[in-house]
Amino acid sequence: MKHPDESIATSNPPIPAIAVPLLSLAAFGSGISLRVTDPLLPQLANEFGVSLGDASYVITMFAIAYGLSQLFFGPFGDRYGKYFIVACGTLACAITAGACGLAPGFGPLLVARLLAGGTAASIIPLSMAWIGDVIPYQDRQPVLARFLIGQILGLSAGVLMGGLAADAQNWRLPFFVIAAIFLVVSVALFSLNRRLPGHARRLHRAEGPALRRMVGEFRQIALLPWARLVLLTVFLEGAFLYGAFAFIASHEHRTFGLSMTSAGALIMLFGAGGFFFAVASSVLVRRMGETGLSRWGGICLGASLFAIGASPTWWWAIPGCFMAGLGFYMLHNTLQINATQMAPERRGAAVSAFASCFFLGQSVGVAIAGRLVERIGTGNVMMIGALGVLMVALWFSHRLRFKARTS
């Protein structure tokens, strides 16, 4: 029996070869914006006279806005064109990143980060949904993995950029660099959008008031049992992983005296592990399948976070960060491929709901970890995250295996 998405017409005109790489560049900027503040937390705490936990609100505010805004961008992408909305969102990101760099105090910085998270919300989930629209299911997972190379490199570059800025005592400069990246990419996206073939600019126009349509879209998704399971899983993944991940640089700096640049360079290995997965995704998917990827991804990720948190010396973070990145993308890419297919007729809204749950989970995880970190220490926070993400991955792998047996 053919998969529903195998019906994507092969007679459609090919999309320009640069289309997915441009989306990946937008995801690169989003990744930098997301993680650039991690190494900046100690400097922000000192400069604004707040605790490390309070400084982490620059992460939490971004994640909250990013998560909630998904609920709006998904239906907008379906109605006005996903590629076009990504281009608009990228331009808005240039403005909000500049606002972060110009913030005169901690309060205005939090507001600017809130806006930055809201504008960045359009990029990755709508790009994934657009790929789902134009790429057949059987070819989609490797394409998604290659698209995510941009985000992976962005996450790594963001941590390194933040570390360099922290050591240079100039936390504002990275935001101006981010703004410039977004501005250039947005111009390229707008230009290409006009040249996309008709099937790649497909619109879904529903009748009735916009708010009612949006609520109806998400209600239909919430009625699907498998969709509810995927959304709960990615929420818990985001909470346990990023509650720990956000404090790795601070842990290495406080515990072992590493400079923030060195700590940021270590965390770049997380991106290297993700990059390895993206390059080897075709082989790994074929040999391990979705069940194996989620199970072993969770084991790698949990073991690596535990090792970093419990390590007696800093160099344990070298293999730990690499294996954590590999494990995360093995698990998360499997969740993503399920998200693109859990409601094909409402793919924009479905993928946006997925990203919303992921980033709301991050905001909850970082907020809780920020309250705990001064009481129990960064190492214990990472070990709690390790145990949690391992349990989530094993549970999802079990549900995947059960689904495969009964379908």
Side-chain angles (χ1 to χ4, degrees):
M1 180 181 294
K2 285 189 176 183
H3 193 281
D5 268 11
E6 290 182 16
S7 60
I8 293 178
T10 57
S11 59
N12 285 327
I15 61 173
I18 195 65
V20 173
L22 277 181
L23 293 177
S24 190
L25 283 174
F28 175 77
S30 177
I32 296 178
S33 187
L34 175 63
R35 295 267 70 93
V36 71
T37 54
D38 290 6
L40 293 173
L41 295 183
Q43 187 195 354
L44 293 174
N46 291 333
E47 178 159 336
F48 294 112
V50 298
S51 69
L52 186 65
D54 288 340
S56 70
Y57 286 146
V58 296
I59 301 171
T60 303
M61 298 298 280
F62 186 99
I64 289 174
Y66 194 110
L68 291 176
S69 296
Q70 306 301 322
L71 304 178
F72 299 94
F73 281 119
F76 268 110
D78 286 336
R79 183 171 178 80
Y80 298 107
K82 299 178 183 68
Y83 212 92
F84 175 72
I85 295 298
V86 172
C88 293
T90 305
L91 178 60
C93 283
I95 298 171
T96 55
C100 290
L102 295 171
F106 189 63
L109 176 60
L110 292 182
V111 173
R113 284 290 286 173
L114 186 75
L115 296 174
T119 54
S122 64
I123 296 174
I124 292 175
L126 284 184
S127 296
M128 289 169 50
W130 183 82
I131 290 170
D133 285 344
V134 301
I135 303 297
Y137 184 85
Q138 66 271 18
D139 302 324
R140 193 177 302 157
Q141 191 159 9
V143 174
L144 280 174
R146 289 193 293 272
F147 156 72
L148 287 170
I149 288 176
Q151 184 196 27
I152 293 166
L153 295 178
L155 295 174
S156 299
V159 174
L160 180 61
M161 188 184 300
L164 290 168
D167 286 340
Q169 298 293 302
N170 187 351
W171 62 267
R172 298 179 185 275
L173 181 60
F175 294 110
F176 297 129
V177 175
I178 294 168
I181 292 171
F182 276 130
L183 183 60
V184 171
V185 175
S186 69
V187 171
L189 287 170
F190 277 118
S191 175
L192 183 63
N193 180 67
R194 293 193 294 268
R195 296 188 284 113
L196 290 176
H199 74 284
R201 300 169 66 183
R202 185 171 51 197
L203 307 179
H204 172 67
R205 298 189 181 278
E207 300 297 328
L211 181 59
R212 184 183 302 172
R213 290 198 310 269
M214 183 180 70
V215 172
E217 293 275 304
F218 290 115
R219 181 187 295 119
Q220 291 300 315
I221 294 167
L223 290 174
L224 302 172
W226 183 247
R228 292 198 301 270
L229 186 144
V230 171
L231 295 177
L232 174 61
T233 302
V234 79
F235 176 88
L236 295 174
E237 178 201 37
F240 284 115
L241 170 61
Y242 281 98
F245 186 85
F247 293 97
I248 291 179
S250 298
H251 174 74
E252 299 298 319
H253 175 68
R254 283 186 164 191
T255 306
F256 303 113
L258 266 67
S259 69
M260 294 309 296
T261 301
S262 298
L266 283 176
I267 297 174
M268 285 187 70
L269 292 169
F270 183 92
F275 186 82
F276 177 82
F277 170 75
V279 172
S281 59
S282 297
V283 175
L284 292 174
V285 169
R286 184 171 62 252
R287 292 189 177 181
M288 302 179 70
E290 293 183 10
T291 301
L293 284 172
S294 57
R295 179 175 64 250
W296 286 105
I299 291 171
C300 286
L301 181 53
S304 299
L305 288 176
F306 190 92
I308 295 169
S311 64
T313 181
W314 67 269
W315 62 261
W316 283 33
I318 296 176
C321 286
F322 179 86
M323 294 303 297
L326 174 60
F328 168 68
Y329 281 97
M330 289 169 67
L331 170 62
H332 193 67
N333 187 251
T334 305
L335 286 165
Q336 286 174 325
I337 195 68
N338 278 270
T340 65
Q341 202 53 36
M342 63 189 186
E345 69 284 359
R346 296 177 176 85
R347 188 173 282 121
V351 176
S352 292
F354 174 85
S356 176
C357 287
F358 182 51
F359 278 87
L360 289 176
Q362 287 189 39
S363 66
V364 170
V366 173
I368 293 174
R371 296 299 91 195
L372 292 176
V373 72
E374 301 292 352
R375 300 180 182 181
I376 65 175
T378 51
N380 288 324
V381 164
M382 278 184 280
M383 286 188 278
I384 292 171
L387 178 61
V389 78
L390 174 62
M391 293 175 62
V392 168
L394 294 179
W395 175 65
F396 183 67
S397 176
H398 170 74
R399 297 301 301 175
L400 272 175
R401 187 166 58 249
F402 179 78
K403 179 174 180 283
R405 288 175 181 171
T406 56
S407 61

